[in-house]
Amino acid sequence: MKLGRLRLLLALDALLMEGSVSRAAERLEMSVPAMSRLLGQIREIYDDPIFTRSARRLIPTPFAESMRQRLRALAAEAEALARPQRRASDGITLDPTAWSGTPVIEAAPLAARRSILLEGEPFPEAFALKLATLGKAEDAQKRLATYIATVGAGIGNSRPLTTGEAEDAFSTILGGGADPIQIGALLSVINFRGETAAELAGFVRAARTHIKDPDAEATLPIDLDWPAYISPKSRRMPWFLQAALLLAQAGHKILLHGLDGGSGTRGKFTSAAKAIGIPVCTNIASAASAISEHGIAYLPVAGMSSQLHRLHMLYGLFETRSPVNSLMPLLNPFDAPSIMMGVVRPAYRELHCDAGRLLGCRNLTVLAGSRDAAEATPFRSSTLLRLVDGRAENLFVPAMPEPMPYPLTGMTSLDYWRGVWTGAVPDERATEIINATASTALLTLSGGNEDRLEECRTTARNLWKARRTDLLPALSQLG
């Protein structure tokens, strides 16, 4: 191997450990510009971004994450070889027990140690030995403690979980085998550092296994999974529900699942669904029945798993998101071949695409928006992050002229929202949002490239003109 290539590998190891160009440069005792140049060379060699930037640190791509363990082993061996080696003198074998005794003065804590050890303690091989020892435990709480130690031991002493580790950790939580303090510790540490695609994929696999009924019949084939986990603080009208119903009337089978902050079935989201005849279900079996009969259903997270619902409710204690919020858009309970989701945070859009690829998603579209529900914003230019037959593609969508909003006069917001569907309220702006959302869903379903977007827009407009407005709200009482 050329010396320059070895230098790049050691630089990549430092970047993975530190999650920061400046800290990695400090670790290797080089300038920040020099480390930035090395990162550029690494990206060129591997033809991979290597990192995406979040608000707090660099987040490794799935490719970079897959190299972490091998790079750490290489760097640890290099560090071990670089340290002075002890030798036995004159062929005499030294017996350490014969020289044991009580020190005259105990070593002062911290201050007597070399600074390099303060930053890097314990050495990687010692950290690996500790984790290996903990990992032998069969007890669920001790095993979960291993994963908390893995991600939470501090800079230089921790690493993200692998997909298998994340799956096991979250399975322990979902199975009720974790201490409440452990749940808060693991979720908070991972959220503070930022989830990796591998961790997110592991959490999703655990959640899918948790909600799957082993005694149930074969999964109902549906076309599109449409997650909608709306913040309880949202005051926007859920126009995407009308777009989903358009596609269901056209023969596509769609599952909507989510959480809207309401209590039971009295939340804003469920009220809107019922108002236009979308069945609101209380369990997976009733959702399957509703989709089979009507082509669409909304399933609250509590209907899939009370444990997942309770984990969602931790938001009230944390007042911040957790990895549970991140995994739900990828849950895909019925294993649909296509998923369309909305993700608010820019850094998380690529994260969900990368995790979707690790999970084997074929067709996936991530929309930017002001809430975690897939609803188009046609009056602002945007970029759709997509997986098309498993390949990552980005699609830039230019902004459309924005019509004047129709004023709310003498109607409740729910009556107004339903009036747009029935045609009683001629709101051109709302109609454009619905059609743009439906056309994006059609493009996701088809797996087509950007050339088909205009064709999908025409189809969506035709579906809107031909929609059935005579569906009875009673249909939504199923389940």
Side-chain angles (χ1 to χ4, degrees):
M1 176 188 293
K2 295 181 180 180
L3 185 60
R5 291 294 177 91
L6 180 59
R7 186 170 182 236
L8 292 178
L9 293 177
L10 295 177
L12 179 53
D13 171 72
L15 287 164
L16 286 168
M17 291 188 69
E18 300 292 347
S20 163
V21 173
S22 59
R23 290 198 299 268
E26 183 180 355
R27 184 182 186 88
L28 297 184
E29 299 180 351
M30 63 172 59
S31 67
V32 174
M35 178 58 72
S36 296
R37 287 194 295 271
L38 290 180
L39 178 56
Q41 294 175 37
I42 293 168
R43 285 169 166 161
E44 184 177 350
I45 288 174
Y46 289 113
D47 192 24
D48 185 88
I50 302 299
F51 294 100
T52 57
R53 185 172 297 279
S54 72
R56 299 186 184 94
R57 59 182 290 146
L58 298 175
I59 304 299
T61 63
F63 172 76
E65 195 61 56
S66 69
M67 300 177 64
R68 182 187 292 271
Q69 301 290 359
R70 296 170 65 189
L71 289 168
R72 187 82 292 268
L74 172 65
E77 183 64 19
E79 291 168 3
L81 289 172
R83 291 196 294 270
Q85 304 294 310
R86 296 179 179 177
R87 302 180 183 177
S89 58
D90 301 326
I92 300 175
T93 302
L94 302 179
D95 181 6
T97 60
W99 297 83
S100 61
T102 303
V104 177
I105 300 176
E106 292 287 350
L110 298 180
R113 295 168 178 255
R114 292 179 293 127
S115 62
I116 188 172
L117 295 186
L118 292 181
E119 296 174 359
E121 283 282 21
F123 281 112
E125 54 267 35
F127 176 62
L129 180 61
K130 180 186 78 170
L131 292 182
T133 303
L134 288 171
K136 296 176 182 178
E138 294 298 327
D139 180 79
Q141 291 188 3
K142 290 183 178 179
R143 194 168 67 252
L144 191 57
T146 304
Y147 302 132
I148 297 172
T150 301
V151 299
I155 294 174
N157 303 323
S158 60
R159 62 166 174 80
L161 300 177
T162 64
T163 299
E165 290 170 341
E167 182 175 2
D168 186 40
F170 201 57
S171 293
T172 301
I173 292 174
L174 290 173
D179 184 272
I181 295 176
Q182 289 182 308
I183 297 174
L186 183 66
L187 297 181
S188 295
V189 168
I190 292 179
N191 179 61
F192 180 79
R193 184 252 295 150
E195 304 100 316
T196 66
E199 288 171 334
L200 190 52
F203 291 150
V204 172
R205 287 177 180 173
R208 287 178 179 177
T209 301
H210 173 71
I211 66 173
K212 185 176 181 181
D213 183 358
D215 299 325
E217 298 179 358
T219 302
L220 173 72
I222 68 170
D223 302 316
L224 181 64
D225 186 78
W226 199 317
Y229 291 81
I230 302 173
S231 166
K233 300 176 183 178
S234 175
R235 297 294 178 265
R236 295 167 60 88
M237 294 188 184
W239 299 117
F240 65 91
L241 283 177
Q242 300 194 15
L245 186 55
L246 275 185
L247 268 64
Q249 290 188 359
H252 300 287
K253 295 187 180 298
I254 297 172
L255 174 69
L256 294 151
H257 57 93
L259 179 81
D260 66 350
S263 174
T265 59
R266 293 175 294 176
K268 175 180 178 180
F269 188 97
T270 52
S271 297
K274 287 183 175 183
I276 57 173
I278 295 178
V280 177
C281 304
T282 57
N283 54 58
I284 291 179
S286 62
S289 176
I291 293 173
S292 179
E293 184 174 355
H294 304 290
I296 191 169
Y298 167 61
L299 179 63
V301 62
M304 292 185 280
S305 163
S306 59
Q307 186 76 327
L308 279 173
H309 187 230
R310 285 192 290 266
L311 289 170
H312 257 287
M313 293 299 100
L314 290 176
Y315 185 94
L317 297 177
F318 295 167
E319 201 56 39
T320 186
R321 294 168 58 92
S322 77
V324 180
N325 299 90
S326 298
L327 76 88
M328 295 306 294
L330 287 162
L331 185 57
N332 195 4
F334 289 162
D335 195 26
S338 300
I339 305 174
M340 190 170 78
M341 68 180 70
V343 178
V344 174
R345 300 183 181 184
Y348 278 65
R349 293 167 202 150
E350 292 188 6
L351 173 69
H352 280 77
C353 267
D354 290 340
R357 187 160 43 183
L358 290 176
L359 290 165
C361 295
R362 304 307 300 168
N363 296 313
L364 181 148
T365 300
V366 180
L367 290 81
S370 59
R371 61 184 175 200
D372 289 340
E375 182 174 286
T377 53
F379 315 121
R380 296 201 311 264
S381 59
S382 61
T383 299
L384 304 178
L385 275 64
R386 308 176 65 213
L387 292 178
V388 181
D389 197 24
R391 302 185 310 275
E393 293 185 5
N394 290 349
L395 173 59
F396 176 76
V397 181
M400 300 171 57
E402 183 172 5
M404 291 293 293
Y406 195 82
L408 277 170
T409 54
M411 304 177 71
T412 66
S413 58
L414 179 59
D415 288 339
Y416 181 93
W417 183 84
R418 189 175 187 275
V420 171
W421 174 259
T422 60
V425 178
D427 190 328
E428 186 180 351
R429 184 180 184 277
T431 301
E432 287 296 339
I433 294 174
I434 296 167
N435 287 338
T437 304
S439 62
T440 304
L442 288 168
L443 186 67
T444 304
L445 283 164
S446 69
N449 56 28
E450 58 184 298
D451 296 336
R452 296 200 59 184
L453 182 57
E454 193 55 43
E455 175 187 340
C456 291
R457 284 174 174 166
T458 301
T459 302
R461 292 189 186 100
N462 291 336
L463 290 176
W464 177 255
K465 293 175 182 176
R467 70 190 183 284
R468 288 181 58 198
T469 61
D470 58 342
L471 293 178
L472 296 177
L475 292 178
S476 64
Q477 304 299 325
L478 292 176

